[in-house]
Amino acid sequence: MLDQKVADLLNQQINKEFYSAYLYLEFANFYETKGLDGFANWYKVQAQEERDHAMLFYQYLHNNSVSVTLEAIAKPECSLNGLSDPLKAALEHEEYVTSLINTIYAAANEVHDFRTLQFLDWFVKEQGEEEKNASDLITKMDLFGSDPKSLYMLDNELAGRVYAAPSLVL
Ligand code: FEO
């Protein structure tokens, strides 16, 4: 049996991850309207990854005989004007998600729930990668975004991102 507080936090994280998917789909939506299909592709793949994250929390709870409650997914909250706005919002959002994972980790640690800690280890590492990816994109945009030819090449680079299933399998 999972500790109730840990189970509740894990359940809430399902919604947070689906919200992340929705937020990134909104970023893709923004870039589609700007004609930057590569940036749009990047965020569509990111949205798929977030959906995977949600499903990992869902499955982990079911594997531990906890019934899941699905809540409404909120409308994406963001104000997108400039081409860098989604990139900056993404980094801010990933830092927030890292704080959520850390909160669950701390709760599991408090009750010596080593199984959940081991499950969360993958997410701790994943958050490090996601923050780095988000930060790298901001750096590239700062360097190349103001030159149309360079922006075109960066868009082409981001068009090459392909979806891969998560390395964590439950
Ligand atoms: Fe599921 Fe981008 O963190």
Side-chain angles (χ1 to χ4, degrees):
M1 277 292 284
L2 289 187
D3 170 79
Q4 191 59 50
K5 183 181 171 192
V6 172
D8 287 347
L9 288 169
L10 289 166
N11 197 138
Q12 285 167 27
Q13 195 61 27
I14 296 172
N15 188 275
K16 303 284 187 190
E17 300 290 346
F18 275 125
Y19 175 79
S20 299
Y22 217 33
L23 182 68
Y24 289 136
L25 192 60
E26 179 72 336
F27 294 174
N29 186 31
F30 170 79
Y31 284 120
E32 306 263 11
T33 65
K34 302 290 180 193
L36 289 168
D37 296 346
F39 282 78
N41 173 67
W42 176 274
Y43 283 111
K44 277 190 275 190
V45 172
Q46 191 62 37
Q48 285 175 291
E49 285 198 1
E50 299 300 347
R51 182 208 56 197
D52 288 340
H53 295 170
M55 293 308 296
L56 286 167
F57 283 100
Y58 167 93
Q59 198 58 54
Y60 180 75
L61 286 169
H62 276 295
N63 288 357
N64 285 278
S65 305
V66 177
S67 62
V68 165
T69 304
L70 296 174
E71 303 288 355
I73 301 164
K75 181 179 177 177
E77 243 182 70
C78 53
S79 159
L80 307 177
N81 298 298
L83 293 181
S84 290
D85 287 353
L87 311 180
K88 291 175 188 162
L91 178 59
E92 201 177 306
H93 184 68
E94 286 305 331
E95 288 169 348
Y96 166 63
V97 174
T98 297
S99 77
L100 296 174
I101 299 291
N102 289 347
T103 297
I104 310 173
Y105 204 97
N109 193 46
E110 208 173 303
V111 295
H112 295 174
D113 179 355
F114 301 113
R115 187 188 305 164
T116 298
L117 290 178
Q118 195 173 50
F119 165 69
L120 289 173
D121 278 339
W122 186 88
F123 286 92
V124 171
K125 186 162 177 280
E126 177 75 3
Q127 282 311 119
E129 287 172 14
E130 300 226 324
E131 282 187 36
K132 183 180 185 316
N133 286 342
S135 174
D136 285 354
L137 263 185
I138 292 171
T139 303
K140 285 184 182 180
M141 195 63 163
D142 285 348
L143 284 170
F144 312 122
S146 57
D147 172 54
K149 274 188 206 157
S150 304
L151 180 62
Y152 178 76
M153 288 171 74
L154 182 55
D155 191 55
N156 269 347
E157 180 189 320
L158 298 183
R161 184 181 187 186
V162 290
Y163 167 74
S167 54
L168 178 63
V169 178
L170 297 179

